[in-house]
Amino acid sequence: MNFWEYLESRHQQLLIDAYQHASVVFQCMVVATALGVLIGIVTYRSEWAGGLATTVTSTLLTFPALALIGLLIPIVGLGVPPTVIALTLYGLLPIVRNAIVGLRGVDPALVDAATGIGMSRLARLVRVELPLAWPPILTGIRVSTQMLMGIAAIAAFASGPGLGNLIFRGIASLGSKNALNQVLAGTLGIVVLALLFDAAYVLIGRLTISRGIRA
């Protein structure tokens, strides 16, 4: 059975695995984005706090994915929980770092002008600082998503959802007639999903970032 025949015979299961892979990455990115931006908002005004936030999230990223998931299994069990926790932690660094950089890069004159017309601190943050910091934050989200697409495949070690199961099954059965097809299908599926997500982020950027800021 060649690769195309394999895809044709397994297309329903491949679509299910691809959907699960995309779903878990998307959900983890939503959580990581909310946490990362919140951490950035809390820490960007202080050099010490911002440095600590970046250091902690950088340290989390140095943990081998297989080891972190393995450590989580005795605590939260197999399946989705260790996958979600690990992916969320891995996705924090680019978002936290870019949120801090973006918020610190807002022109102080604009913040002073907003203060001068009577805006509260929350209003300044929501209506002035965050919109201006959005381009680097979105870049951080794009980077995190590309990272998590690959890392999510390792979640198959803990019976997690997604295309990683194909890759692990193929590696475990090397020498059988469909082993290479399984690995190739899982790998190409992840690449295609990563490209689709990135294209979606490009579209989001065009819709949410004004031409003046892009220029």
Side-chain angles (χ1 to χ4, degrees), residues 78-159:
L78 294 168
V80 174
T83 302
V84 170
I85 294 171
L87 293 185
T88 300
L89 293 177
Y90 281 126
L92 285 175
L93 174 60
I95 301 171
V96 170
R97 182 177 56 197
N98 282 32
I100 292 172
V101 169
L103 289 167
R104 286 178 178 173
V106 174
D107 189 345
L110 296 175
V111 180
D112 292 339
T115 304
I117 63 173
M119 282 190 183
S120 66
R121 181 173 177 179
L122 179 60
R124 292 196 305 269
L125 177 67
V126 174
R127 298 178 62 183
V128 178
E129 294 177 274
L130 280 176
L132 292 174
W134 174 240
I137 292 174
L138 182 60
T139 299
I141 295 171
R142 289 177 67 180
V143 172
S144 286
T145 303
Q146 300 305 306
M147 287 171 33
L148 296 195
M149 277 294 172
I151 296 173
I154 302 175
F157 170 74
S159 300

Side-chain angles (χ1 to χ4, degrees), residues 39 42-55 96 100 104:
I39 293 170
V42 171
T43 61
Y44 83 98
R45 294 179 181 272
S46 167
E47 288 290 338
W48 178 85
L52 178 63
T54 303
T55 300
V96 170
I100 292 172
R104 286 178 178 173

